[in-house]
mmCIF file of all heavy atoms in Angstrom:
data_model
loop_
_atom_site.group_PDB
_atom_site.id
_atom_site.type_symbol
_atom_site.label_atom_id
_atom_site.label_comp_id
_atom_site.label_asym_id
_atom_site.label_seq_id
_atom_site.Cartn_x
_atom_site.Cartn_y
_atom_site.Cartn_z
ATOM 1 N N GLU A 1 4.013 9.408 13.351
ATOM 2 C CA GLU A 1 4.332 7.967 13.500
ATOM 3 C C GLU A 1 5.074 7.517 12.247
ATOM 4 O O GLU A 1 4.749 7.952 11.131
ATOM 5 C CB GLU A 1 3.026 7.147 13.588
ATOM 6 C CG GLU A 1 2.049 7.619 14.642
ATOM 7 C CD GLU A 1 0.645 7.080 14.376
ATOM 8 O OE1 GLU A 1 0.510 5.862 14.067
ATOM 9 O OE2 GLU A 1 -0.314 7.850 14.428
ATOM 10 N N TYR A 2 6.031 6.645 12.423
ATOM 11 C CA TYR A 2 6.790 6.125 11.276
ATOM 12 C C TYR A 2 6.788 4.601 11.357
ATOM 13 O O TYR A 2 7.101 4.037 12.406
ATOM 14 C CB TYR A 2 8.201 6.707 11.230
ATOM 15 C CG TYR A 2 8.172 8.215 10.996
ATOM 16 C CD1 TYR A 2 8.042 9.090 12.080
ATOM 17 C CD2 TYR A 2 8.205 8.745 9.721
ATOM 18 C CE1 TYR A 2 7.993 10.457 11.883
ATOM 19 C CE2 TYR A 2 8.157 10.113 9.503
ATOM 20 C CZ TYR A 2 8.038 10.963 10.581
ATOM 21 O OH TYR A 2 7.960 12.336 10.393
ATOM 22 N N VAL A 3 6.453 3.976 10.253
ATOM 23 C CA VAL A 3 6.373 2.520 10.202
ATOM 24 C C VAL A 3 7.194 2.040 9.006
ATOM 25 O O VAL A 3 7.480 2.825 8.085
ATOM 26 C CB VAL A 3 4.907 2.037 10.060
ATOM 27 C CG1 VAL A 3 4.089 2.446 11.289
ATOM 28 C CG2 VAL A 3 4.251 2.620 8.796
ATOM 29 N N ALA A 4 7.535 0.772 9.016
ATOM 30 C CA ALA A 4 8.299 0.194 7.901
ATOM 31 C C ALA A 4 7.522 -0.953 7.279
ATOM 32 O O ALA A 4 6.857 -1.726 7.973
ATOM 33 C CB ALA A 4 9.656 -0.284 8.399
ATOM 34 N N VAL A 5 7.586 -1.044 5.951
ATOM 35 C CA VAL A 5 6.916 -2.147 5.237
ATOM 36 C C VAL A 5 7.943 -2.895 4.417
ATOM 37 O O VAL A 5 8.984 -2.366 4.031
ATOM 38 C CB VAL A 5 5.781 -1.611 4.332
ATOM 39 C CG1 VAL A 5 4.628 -1.049 5.160
ATOM 40 C CG2 VAL A 5 6.290 -0.583 3.321
ATOM 41 N N SER A 6 7.627 -4.148 4.115
ATOM 42 C CA SER A 6 8.551 -5.016 3.367
ATOM 43 C C SER A 6 8.365 -4.840 1.870
ATOM 44 O O SER A 6 7.327 -4.356 1.398
ATOM 45 C CB SER A 6 8.299 -6.490 3.722
ATOM 46 O OG SER A 6 7.031 -6.884 3.211
ATOM 47 N N LYS A 7 9.352 -5.269 1.097
ATOM 48 C CA LYS A 7 9.246 -5.132 -0.357
ATOM 49 C C LYS A 7 8.125 -5.997 -0.912
ATOM 50 O O LYS A 7 7.496 -5.641 -1.922
ATOM 51 C CB LYS A 7 10.592 -5.468 -1.037
ATOM 52 C CG LYS A 7 11.067 -6.892 -0.920
ATOM 53 C CD LYS A 7 12.398 -7.064 -1.634
ATOM 54 C CE LYS A 7 12.864 -8.507 -1.556
ATOM 55 N NZ LYS A 7 14.192 -8.673 -2.203
ATOM 56 N N GLU A 8 7.811 -7.112 -0.228
ATOM 57 C CA GLU A 8 6.695 -7.951 -0.672
ATOM 58 C C GLU A 8 5.372 -7.218 -0.509
ATOM 59 O O GLU A 8 4.508 -7.262 -1.396
ATOM 60 C CB GLU A 8 6.666 -9.263 0.132
ATOM 61 C CG GLU A 8 7.796 -10.222 -0.129
ATOM 62 C CD GLU A 8 9.121 -9.835 0.518
ATOM 63 O OE1 GLU A 8 9.108 -9.015 1.491
ATOM 64 O OE2 GLU A 8 10.176 -10.328 0.077
ATOM 65 N N GLU A 9 5.232 -6.496 0.605
ATOM 66 C CA GLU A 9 4.008 -5.700 0.834
ATOM 67 C C GLU A 9 3.901 -4.565 -0.182
ATOM 68 O O GLU A 9 2.807 -4.236 -0.641
ATOM 69 C CB GLU A 9 4.024 -5.139 2.272
ATOM 70 C CG GLU A 9 3.808 -6.220 3.326
ATOM 71 C CD GLU A 9 4.133 -5.739 4.736
ATOM 72 O OE1 GLU A 9 5.036 -4.872 4.920
ATOM 73 O OE2 GLU A 9 3.500 -6.234 5.677
ATOM 74 N N VAL A 10 5.041 -4.007 -0.540
ATOM 75 C CA VAL A 10 5.062 -2.903 -1.508
ATOM 76 C C VAL A 10 4.664 -3.398 -2.899
ATOM 77 O O VAL A 10 3.848 -2.762 -3.584
ATOM 78 C CB VAL A 10 6.456 -2.251 -1.546
ATOM 79 C CG1 VAL A 10 6.589 -1.262 -2.692
ATOM 80 C CG2 VAL A 10 6.767 -1.574 -0.217
ATOM 81 N N LEU A 11 5.206 -4.524 -3.320
ATOM 82 C CA LEU A 11 4.862 -5.088 -4.631
ATOM 83 C C LEU A 11 3.368 -5.453 -4.694
ATOM 84 O O LEU A 11 2.714 -5.260 -5.721
ATOM 85 C CB LEU A 11 5.718 -6.323 -4.933
ATOM 86 C CG LEU A 11 7.175 -6.023 -5.325
ATOM 87 C CD1 LEU A 11 7.985 -7.319 -5.389
ATOM 88 C CD2 LEU A 11 7.226 -5.313 -6.677
ATOM 89 N N GLU A 12 2.841 -5.949 -3.584
ATOM 90 C CA GLU A 12 1.418 -6.273 -3.516
ATOM 91 C C GLU A 12 0.582 -5.004 -3.671
ATOM 92 O O GLU A 12 -0.391 -4.963 -4.427
ATOM 93 C CB GLU A 12 1.111 -6.972 -2.181
ATOM 94 C CG GLU A 12 -0.362 -7.296 -1.943
ATOM 95 C CD GLU A 12 -0.936 -8.337 -2.914
ATOM 96 O OE1 GLU A 12 -0.169 -9.039 -3.581
ATOM 97 O OE2 GLU A 12 -2.173 -8.402 -3.007
ATOM 98 N N ALA A 13 0.972 -3.947 -2.951
ATOM 99 C CA ALA A 13 0.236 -2.686 -3.014
ATOM 100 C C ALA A 13 0.288 -2.079 -4.417
ATOM 101 O O ALA A 13 -0.692 -1.520 -4.906
ATOM 102 C CB ALA A 13 0.807 -1.710 -1.992
ATOM 103 N N PHE A 14 1.431 -2.181 -5.054
ATOM 104 C CA PHE A 14 1.626 -1.679 -6.429
ATOM 105 C C PHE A 14 0.562 -2.305 -7.350
ATOM 106 O O PHE A 14 -0.063 -1.621 -8.171
ATOM 107 C CB PHE A 14 3.037 -2.068 -6.889
ATOM 108 C CG PHE A 14 3.425 -1.601 -8.273
ATOM 109 C CD1 PHE A 14 4.044 -0.379 -8.459
ATOM 110 C CD2 PHE A 14 3.227 -2.417 -9.373
ATOM 111 C CE1 PHE A 14 4.441 0.051 -9.747
ATOM 112 C CE2 PHE A 14 3.604 -2.024 -10.650
ATOM 113 C CZ PHE A 14 4.201 -0.774 -10.831
ATOM 114 N N GLN A 15 0.360 -3.619 -7.174
ATOM 115 C CA GLN A 15 -0.604 -4.351 -8.010
ATOM 116 C C GLN A 15 -2.050 -4.067 -7.601
ATOM 117 O O GLN A 15 -2.940 -3.926 -8.455
ATOM 118 C CB GLN A 15 -0.303 -5.843 -7.945
ATOM 119 C CG GLN A 15 1.046 -6.205 -8.534
ATOM 120 C CD GLN A 15 1.422 -7.661 -8.244
ATOM 121 O OE1 GLN A 15 0.999 -8.567 -8.972
ATOM 122 N NE2 GLN A 15 2.194 -7.880 -7.194
ATOM 123 N N VAL A 16 -2.289 -3.991 -6.303
ATOM 124 C CA VAL A 16 -3.653 -3.778 -5.807
ATOM 125 C C VAL A 16 -4.212 -2.441 -6.270
ATOM 126 O O VAL A 16 -5.345 -2.368 -6.761
ATOM 127 C CB VAL A 16 -3.716 -3.885 -4.256
ATOM 128 C CG1 VAL A 16 -5.040 -3.353 -3.717
ATOM 129 C CG2 VAL A 16 -3.507 -5.324 -3.817
ATOM 130 N N LEU A 17 -3.443 -1.363 -6.122
ATOM 131 C CA LEU A 17 -3.942 -0.050 -6.565
ATOM 132 C C LEU A 17 -4.156 -0.034 -8.071
ATOM 133 O O LEU A 17 -5.146 0.528 -8.561
ATOM 134 C CB LEU A 17 -2.988 1.056 -6.134
ATOM 135 C CG LEU A 17 -3.534 2.490 -6.391
ATOM 136 C CD1 LEU A 17 -4.820 2.742 -5.625
ATOM 137 C CD2 LEU A 17 -2.494 3.538 -6.044
ATOM 138 N N SER A 18 -3.254 -0.675 -8.795
ATOM 139 C CA SER A 18 -3.388 -0.728 -10.267
ATOM 140 C C SER A 18 -4.685 -1.425 -10.659
ATOM 141 O O SER A 18 -5.429 -0.949 -11.519
ATOM 142 C CB SER A 18 -2.210 -1.483 -10.865
ATOM 143 O OG SER A 18 -0.981 -0.839 -10.576
ATOM 144 N N LYS A 19 -4.995 -2.543 -9.983
ATOM 145 C CA LYS A 19 -6.146 -3.361 -10.370
ATOM 146 C C LYS A 19 -7.472 -2.823 -9.833
ATOM 147 O O LYS A 19 -8.522 -3.065 -10.446
ATOM 148 C CB LYS A 19 -5.936 -4.797 -9.888
ATOM 149 C CG LYS A 19 -4.887 -5.530 -10.713
ATOM 150 C CD LYS A 19 -4.528 -6.881 -10.124
ATOM 151 C CE LYS A 19 -3.447 -7.537 -10.983
ATOM 152 N NZ LYS A 19 -2.867 -8.730 -10.356
ATOM 153 N N THR A 20 -7.448 -2.114 -8.698
ATOM 154 C CA THR A 20 -8.709 -1.622 -8.134
ATOM 155 C C THR A 20 -9.089 -0.247 -8.638
ATOM 156 O O THR A 20 -10.267 0.071 -8.802
ATOM 157 C CB THR A 20 -8.669 -1.565 -6.600
ATOM 158 O OG1 THR A 20 -7.561 -0.775 -6.182
ATOM 159 C CG2 THR A 20 -8.593 -2.948 -5.991
ATOM 160 N N GLU A 21 -8.090 0.612 -8.908
ATOM 161 C CA GLU A 21 -8.407 2.001 -9.272
ATOM 162 C C GLU A 21 -7.881 2.414 -10.650
ATOM 163 O O GLU A 21 -8.109 3.535 -11.093
ATOM 164 C CB GLU A 21 -7.836 2.961 -8.209
ATOM 165 C CG GLU A 21 -8.445 2.809 -6.838
ATOM 166 C CD GLU A 21 -9.909 3.245 -6.781
ATOM 167 O OE1 GLU A 21 -10.350 3.993 -7.678
ATOM 168 O OE2 GLU A 21 -10.606 2.829 -5.836
ATOM 169 N N GLY A 22 -7.125 1.514 -11.319
ATOM 170 C CA GLY A 22 -6.556 1.902 -12.608
ATOM 171 C C GLY A 22 -5.490 2.964 -12.469
ATOM 172 O O GLY A 22 -5.247 3.750 -13.368
ATOM 173 N N ILE A 23 -4.818 2.980 -11.312
ATOM 174 C CA ILE A 23 -3.747 3.951 -11.061
ATOM 175 C C ILE A 23 -2.498 3.150 -10.716
ATOM 176 O O ILE A 23 -2.455 2.416 -9.716
ATOM 177 C CB ILE A 23 -4.098 4.876 -9.886
ATOM 178 C CG1 ILE A 23 -5.331 5.727 -10.199
ATOM 179 C CG2 ILE A 23 -2.923 5.777 -9.507
ATOM 180 C CD1 ILE A 23 -5.919 6.471 -9.017
ATOM 181 N N ILE A 24 -1.456 3.274 -11.572
ATOM 182 C CA ILE A 24 -0.195 2.563 -11.303
ATOM 183 C C ILE A 24 0.719 3.528 -10.540
ATOM 184 O O ILE A 24 1.174 4.514 -11.084
ATOM 185 C CB ILE A 24 0.479 2.123 -12.621
ATOM 186 C CG1 ILE A 24 -0.481 1.227 -13.436
ATOM 187 C CG2 ILE A 24 1.789 1.389 -12.328
ATOM 188 C CD1 ILE A 24 0.049 0.869 -14.826
ATOM 189 N N PRO A 25 0.962 3.234 -9.256
ATOM 190 C CA PRO A 25 1.739 4.163 -8.441
ATOM 191 C C PRO A 25 3.235 3.887 -8.566
ATOM 192 O O PRO A 25 3.661 2.758 -8.882
ATOM 193 C CB PRO A 25 1.277 3.851 -7.020
ATOM 194 C CG PRO A 25 0.989 2.363 -7.078
ATOM 195 C CD PRO A 25 0.474 2.070 -8.477
ATOM 196 N N ALA A 26 4.050 4.889 -8.302
ATOM 197 C CA ALA A 26 5.497 4.673 -8.194
ATOM 198 C C ALA A 26 5.778 3.692 -7.055
ATOM 199 O O ALA A 26 4.964 3.573 -6.120
ATOM 200 C CB ALA A 26 6.195 6.008 -7.907
ATOM 201 N N LEU A 27 6.890 2.984 -7.130
ATOM 202 C CA LEU A 27 7.252 2.061 -6.041
ATOM 203 C C LEU A 27 7.397 2.830 -4.723
ATOM 204 O O LEU A 27 7.079 2.296 -3.653
ATOM 205 C CB LEU A 27 8.537 1.317 -6.356
ATOM 206 C CG LEU A 27 8.387 0.099 -7.315
ATOM 207 C CD1 LEU A 27 9.741 -0.427 -7.716
ATOM 208 C CD2 LEU A 27 7.533 -0.993 -6.686
ATOM 209 N N GLU A 28 7.879 4.078 -4.802
ATOM 210 C CA GLU A 28 7.983 4.882 -3.582
ATOM 211 C C GLU A 28 6.585 5.049 -2.977
ATOM 212 O O GLU A 28 6.345 4.733 -1.800
ATOM 213 C CB GLU A 28 8.590 6.275 -3.911
ATOM 214 C CG GLU A 28 10.060 6.250 -4.266
ATOM 215 C CD GLU A 28 10.359 5.766 -5.685
ATOM 216 O OE1 GLU A 28 9.402 5.655 -6.500
ATOM 217 O OE2 GLU A 28 11.533 5.493 -5.973
ATOM 218 N N SER A 29 5.630 5.525 -3.765
ATOM 219 C CA SER A 29 4.259 5.763 -3.300
ATOM 220 C C SER A 29 3.606 4.467 -2.834
ATOM 221 O O SER A 29 2.735 4.488 -1.951
ATOM 222 C CB SER A 29 3.415 6.364 -4.406
ATOM 223 O OG SER A 29 4.084 7.387 -5.106
ATOM 224 N N SER A 30 3.989 3.362 -3.420
ATOM 225 C CA SER A 30 3.401 2.058 -3.061
ATOM 226 C C SER A 30 3.662 1.704 -1.609
ATOM 227 O O SER A 30 2.933 0.896 -1.014
ATOM 228 C CB SER A 30 3.936 0.949 -3.983
ATOM 229 O OG SER A 30 3.605 1.232 -5.332
ATOM 230 N N HIS A 31 4.723 2.291 -1.001
ATOM 231 C CA HIS A 31 4.960 2.069 0.429
ATOM 232 C C HIS A 31 3.815 2.667 1.244
ATOM 233 O O HIS A 31 3.332 2.034 2.203
ATOM 234 C CB HIS A 31 6.290 2.715 0.839
ATOM 235 C CG HIS A 31 7.512 1.967 0.384
ATOM 236 N ND1 HIS A 31 7.877 1.885 -0.933
ATOM 237 C CD2 HIS A 31 8.435 1.235 1.079
ATOM 238 C CE1 HIS A 31 8.978 1.155 -1.042
ATOM 239 N NE2 HIS A 31 9.337 0.755 0.160
ATOM 240 N N ALA A 32 3.373 3.858 0.865
ATOM 241 C CA ALA A 32 2.254 4.496 1.583
ATOM 242 C C ALA A 32 0.978 3.704 1.357
ATOM 243 O O ALA A 32 0.178 3.495 2.292
ATOM 244 C CB ALA A 32 2.090 5.935 1.095
ATOM 245 N N VAL A 33 0.763 3.239 0.126
ATOM 246 C CA VAL A 33 -0.428 2.434 -0.173
ATOM 247 C C VAL A 33 -0.424 1.142 0.650
ATOM 248 O O VAL A 33 -1.434 0.719 1.205
ATOM 249 C CB VAL A 33 -0.493 2.112 -1.697
ATOM 250 C CG1 VAL A 33 -1.693 1.189 -1.987
ATOM 251 C CG2 VAL A 33 -0.595 3.388 -2.508
ATOM 252 N N ALA A 34 0.772 0.521 0.747
ATOM 253 C CA ALA A 34 0.883 -0.742 1.498
ATOM 254 C C ALA A 34 0.419 -0.579 2.927
ATOM 255 O O ALA A 34 -0.307 -1.437 3.475
ATOM 256 C CB ALA A 34 2.341 -1.233 1.471
ATOM 257 N N TYR A 35 0.816 0.530 3.579
ATOM 258 C CA TYR A 35 0.369 0.713 4.966
ATOM 259 C C TYR A 35 -1.094 1.083 5.049
ATOM 260 O O TYR A 35 -1.798 0.656 5.988
ATOM 261 C CB TYR A 35 1.220 1.754 5.688
ATOM 262 C CG TYR A 35 0.942 1.740 7.173
ATOM 263 C CD1 TYR A 35 1.327 0.652 7.949
ATOM 264 C CD2 TYR A 35 0.213 2.771 7.786
ATOM 265 C CE1 TYR A 35 1.023 0.603 9.313
ATOM 266 C CE2 TYR A 35 -0.069 2.726 9.135
ATOM 267 C CZ TYR A 35 0.324 1.645 9.885
ATOM 268 O OH TYR A 35 0.005 1.578 11.227
ATOM 269 N N ALA A 36 -1.601 1.816 4.071
ATOM 270 C CA ALA A 36 -3.035 2.145 4.060
ATOM 271 C C ALA A 36 -3.879 0.884 3.964
ATOM 272 O O ALA A 36 -4.939 0.780 4.592
ATOM 273 C CB ALA A 36 -3.344 3.069 2.887
ATOM 274 N N LEU A 37 -3.404 -0.112 3.208
ATOM 275 C CA LEU A 37 -4.112 -1.390 3.083
ATOM 276 C C LEU A 37 -4.200 -2.101 4.431
ATOM 277 O O LEU A 37 -5.174 -2.801 4.703
ATOM 278 C CB LEU A 37 -3.420 -2.309 2.071
ATOM 279 C CG LEU A 37 -3.370 -1.855 0.609
ATOM 280 C CD1 LEU A 37 -2.632 -2.875 -0.237
ATOM 281 C CD2 LEU A 37 -4.755 -1.605 0.069
ATOM 282 N N GLN A 38 -3.189 -1.904 5.276
ATOM 283 C CA GLN A 38 -3.182 -2.525 6.619
ATOM 284 C C GLN A 38 -4.045 -1.723 7.599
ATOM 285 O O GLN A 38 -4.767 -2.282 8.423
ATOM 286 C CB GLN A 38 -1.760 -2.595 7.166
ATOM 287 C CG GLN A 38 -0.828 -3.479 6.373
ATOM 288 C CD GLN A 38 0.615 -3.359 6.827
ATOM 289 O OE1 GLN A 38 0.888 -3.101 8.006
ATOM 290 N NE2 GLN A 38 1.561 -3.533 5.925
ATOM 291 N N LEU A 39 -3.977 -0.381 7.497
ATOM 292 C CA LEU A 39 -4.645 0.462 8.475
ATOM 293 C C LEU A 39 -6.142 0.606 8.253
ATOM 294 O O LEU A 39 -6.924 0.551 9.201
ATOM 295 C CB LEU A 39 -3.989 1.876 8.455
ATOM 296 C CG LEU A 39 -4.529 2.887 9.460
ATOM 297 C CD1 LEU A 39 -4.352 2.435 10.897
ATOM 298 C CD2 LEU A 39 -3.886 4.256 9.238
ATOM 299 N N ALA A 40 -6.551 0.805 7.000
ATOM 300 C CA ALA A 40 -7.961 1.096 6.700
ATOM 301 C C ALA A 40 -8.940 0.085 7.319
ATOM 302 O O ALA A 40 -9.940 0.496 7.940
ATOM 303 C CB ALA A 40 -8.174 1.195 5.186
ATOM 304 N N PRO A 41 -8.689 -1.234 7.223
ATOM 305 C CA PRO A 41 -9.655 -2.195 7.771
ATOM 306 C C PRO A 41 -9.800 -2.120 9.295
ATOM 307 O O PRO A 41 -10.799 -2.609 9.841
ATOM 308 C CB PRO A 41 -9.086 -3.558 7.358
ATOM 309 C CG PRO A 41 -8.112 -3.272 6.264
ATOM 310 C CD PRO A 41 -7.580 -1.925 6.533
ATOM 311 N N THR A 42 -8.840 -1.514 9.964
ATOM 312 C CA THR A 42 -8.880 -1.443 11.450
ATOM 313 C C THR A 42 -9.671 -0.221 11.940
ATOM 314 O O THR A 42 -9.873 -0.059 13.141
ATOM 315 C CB THR A 42 -7.465 -1.376 12.049
ATOM 316 O OG1 THR A 42 -6.887 -0.101 11.755
ATOM 317 C CG2 THR A 42 -6.568 -2.469 11.506
ATOM 318 N N LEU A 43 -10.073 0.650 11.006
ATOM 319 C CA LEU A 43 -10.762 1.883 11.370
ATOM 320 C C LEU A 43 -12.244 1.834 10.985
ATOM 321 O O LEU A 43 -12.650 1.022 10.157
ATOM 322 C CB LEU A 43 -10.091 3.091 10.692
ATOM 323 C CG LEU A 43 -8.603 3.294 10.994
ATOM 324 C CD1 LEU A 43 -8.028 4.392 10.108
ATOM 325 C CD2 LEU A 43 -8.391 3.619 12.467
ATOM 326 N N SER A 44 -13.020 2.716 11.566
ATOM 327 C CA SER A 44 -14.466 2.752 11.267
ATOM 328 C C SER A 44 -14.698 3.371 9.893
ATOM 329 O O SER A 44 -13.824 4.036 9.337
ATOM 330 C CB SER A 44 -15.202 3.586 12.326
ATOM 331 O OG SER A 44 -14.995 4.957 12.078
ATOM 332 N N LYS A 45 -15.931 3.217 9.387
ATOM 333 C CA LYS A 45 -16.284 3.774 8.090
ATOM 334 C C LYS A 45 -16.369 5.281 8.142
ATOM 335 O O LYS A 45 -16.441 5.939 7.098
ATOM 336 C CB LYS A 45 -17.593 3.178 7.605
ATOM 337 C CG LYS A 45 -17.456 1.693 7.287
ATOM 338 C CD LYS A 45 -18.648 1.134 6.554
ATOM 339 C CE LYS A 45 -18.370 -0.311 6.130
ATOM 340 N NZ LYS A 45 -19.448 -0.930 5.399
#
């Protein structure tokens, strides 16, 4: 599956991972993080 995310979602993900895990991701990687932030809450534990 391939999905697209916006630059606003990417910048948000860049900051969220930095603040929650102390890991500053590349902007490229932040695209993957951005979608994980959307997908994770829709799935079971």
Side-chain angles (χ1 to χ4, degrees):
E1 307 161 45
Y2 295 87
V3 297
V5 293
S6 69
K7 66 180 182 183
E8 291 77 19
E9 289 167 329
V10 171
L11 285 171
E12 177 65 17
F14 181 91
Q15 296 170 83
V16 166
L17 187 61
S18 300
K19 288 171 181 170
T20 55
E21 296 292 341
I23 297 169
I24 303 174
L27 280 172
E28 289 78 12
S29 316
S30 299
H31 286 70
V33 176
Y35 191 69
L37 296 179
Q38 297 172 30
L39 181 62
T42 70
L43 302 172
S44 76
K45 292 191 174 182

